[in-house]
């Protein structure tokens, strides 16, 4: 089933500093409520978004990035789609980055695999030197 | 105007109840605020010789892996100072999220609310019988 936009508008949040994480969480919470997600699903989406935004701060550094949030629909389902894109160095091995415990910066390596467990869909588009785009979707149950 | 506005350090007040300190983490915490709370709480434990510390996280709507690690770190710091530490008030949605995210929290002493946390602290002080 094709995923289509419920409305043409999207919310954009720049991700350049730690202070932006608060806005990322706030916008995701607002859009999750608008889509009718349960409290648990709101919390999962906001937490996954917080992890992904922090990845941008850690890995993209000064290059920065942004979050785009959209209300989407697929058949009868309604949900939230959040796209995190950065202009950082990119991910060399996307498969490895999705493995629990894999980290290139000495963290626990929970960021990508952990985030994937919290949402219904997570996809990554990245190439070395060409930045990274991570798209997550959470559907209303 | 500044008088009615709490200083940033008042965002998470530290209260003293007998030999126990209670710090309530609440609202949206940015990373710098969290680190400042660590600093204040450890100094307060040392200053007051508190034998127990309750860390109340019921006011947090989101705990990501960074904030979870900070909570675990604060517990470790407080214990090094000789004070037992119990984390109370983890919201059900946050418990579900942290387990799925894979953040290890099982080594922490936790209780549902402050009242049960106080009871757990009393037991920990008596026999050091940790939950883990």
């Amino acid at each position: 089933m094709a995923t289509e936009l419920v409305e043409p508008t999207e919310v954009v949040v720049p991700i350049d500093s730690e202070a932006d994480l608060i806005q990322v969480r706030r916008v995701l919470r607002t859009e999750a409520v608008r889509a009718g997600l349960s409290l648990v699903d709101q919390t999962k989406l906001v937490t996954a978004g917080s992890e992904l935004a922090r990845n941008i701060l850690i890995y993209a550094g000064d290059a920065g990035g942004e979050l785009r949030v959209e209300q989407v629909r697929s058949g009868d389902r309604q949900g939230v789609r959040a796209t995190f894109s950065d202009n950082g160095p990119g991910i060399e091995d996307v498969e490895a980055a999705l493995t629990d415990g894999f980290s290139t910066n000495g963290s626990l390596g929970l960021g990508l695999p952990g985030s994937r467990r919290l949402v219904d869909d997570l996809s990554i588009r990245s190439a070395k030197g060409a930045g990274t785009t991570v798209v997550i979707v959470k559907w209303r149950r | 105007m500044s008088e009615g506005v709490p200083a940033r350090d008042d965002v998470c007040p530290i209260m003293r109840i007998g030999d126990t300190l209670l710090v309530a983490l609440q609202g949206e915490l940015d990373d710098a605020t969290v680190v400042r709370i660590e600093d204040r709480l450890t100094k307060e434990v040392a200053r007051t010789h508190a034998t127990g510390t309750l860390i109340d996280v019921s006011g947090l709507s989101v705990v990501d892996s960074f904030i979870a690690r900070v909570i675990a770190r604060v517990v470790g710091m407080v214990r090094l100072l000789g004070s037992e530490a119990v984390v109370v008030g983890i919201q059900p949605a946050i418990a579900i999220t942290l387990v799925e995210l894979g953040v290890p929290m099982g080594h922490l002493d936790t209780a549902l609310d402050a009242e049960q946390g106080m009871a757990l602290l009393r037991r920990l002080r008596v026999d050091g019988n940790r939950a883990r």
Side-chain angles (χ1 to χ4, degrees):
Chain A
M1 187 86 64
T3 299
E4 55 191 41
L5 289 178
V6 173
E7 50 198 29
T9 55
E10 58 180 9
V11 187
V12 181
V13 183
I15 303 173
D16 297 308
S17 71
E18 283 179 6
D20 296 326
L21 291 179
I22 291 176
Q23 190 61 17
V24 165
R25 294 196 282 255
R26 194 170 291 156
V27 164
L28 285 172
R29 175 77 67 178
T30 302
E31 295 301 316
V33 170
R34 284 184 63 210
L37 267 58
S38 70
L39 179 61
V40 170
D41 285 343
Q42 291 170 30
T43 306
K44 286 181 180 179
L45 178 69
V46 174
T47 306
S50 190
E51 301 291 327
L52 295 174
R54 202 178 290 280
N55 275 356
I56 290 181
L57 294 180
I58 293 170
Y59 293 103
D62 291 340
E66 66 175 23
L67 160 67
R68 290 173 178 272
V69 191
E70 302 152 310
Q71 297 284 326
V72 290
R73 181 170 51 205
S74 176
D76 290 341
R77 295 191 301 177
Q78 192 176 338
V80 177
R81 181 166 67 196
T83 303
F84 296 80
S85 51
D86 67 55
N87 307 306
I91 301 173
E92 209 164 335
D93 187 342
V94 170
E95 274 310 304
L98 279 167
T99 307
D100 260 327
F102 179 87
S103 171
T104 56
N105 77 330
S107 74
L108 288 173
L110 294 170
L112 284 174
S115 300
R116 181 157 74 170
R117 283 192 291 271
L118 294 178
V119 295
D120 295 311
D121 188 54
L122 181 150
S123 60
I124 303 176
R125 197 168 63 244
S126 184
K128 201 165 163 46
T132 302
T133 299
V134 181
V135 183
I136 56 174
V137 182
K138 191 82 182 164
W139 297 110
R140 182 172 69 198
R141 252 159 259 294
Chain B
M1 266 310 283
S2 65
E3 226 173 69
V5 181
R8 286 204 64 103
D9 279 356
D10 293 338
V11 169
C12 295
I14 299 175
M15 285 188 299
R16 188 177 174 182
I17 307 159
D19 289 339
T20 302
L21 290 182
L22 172 66
V23 59
L25 308 185
Q26 52 200 11
E28 291 279 7
L29 299 172
D30 64 24
D31 300 1
T33 308
V34 169
V35 171
R36 206 157 49 235
I37 290 165
E38 289 183 345
D39 189 49
R40 282 176 54 226
L41 182 60
T42 46
K43 282 183 178 146
E44 201 60 13
V45 169
R47 191 182 70 81
T48 62
H49 296 216
T51 55
T53 301
L54 287 183
I55 300 161
D56 182 359
V57 299
S58 61
L60 297 178
S61 57
V62 170
V63 177
D64 66 4
S65 64
F66 173 84
I67 295 175
R69 277 202 298 278
V70 169
I71 292 169
R73 214 164 57 190
V74 170
V75 166
M77 291 171 187
V78 167
R79 281 186 187 148
L80 272 181
L81 296 170
S83 181
E84 297 289 354
V86 172
V87 178
V88 301
I90 294 178
Q91 296 300 296
I94 289 177
I96 291 169
T97 300
L98 281 177
V99 168
E100 279 192 26
L101 185 59
V103 176
M105 302 287 276
H107 59 296
L108 300 180
D109 289 304
T110 58
L112 193 60
D113 55 25
E115 190 181 343
Q116 291 190 11
M118 291 292 264
L120 178 55
L121 275 180
R122 275 195 296 277
R123 291 201 298 278
L124 289 173
R125 284 189 186 106
V126 169
D127 58 15
N129 179 23
R130 293 235 152 76
R132 60 187 174 283

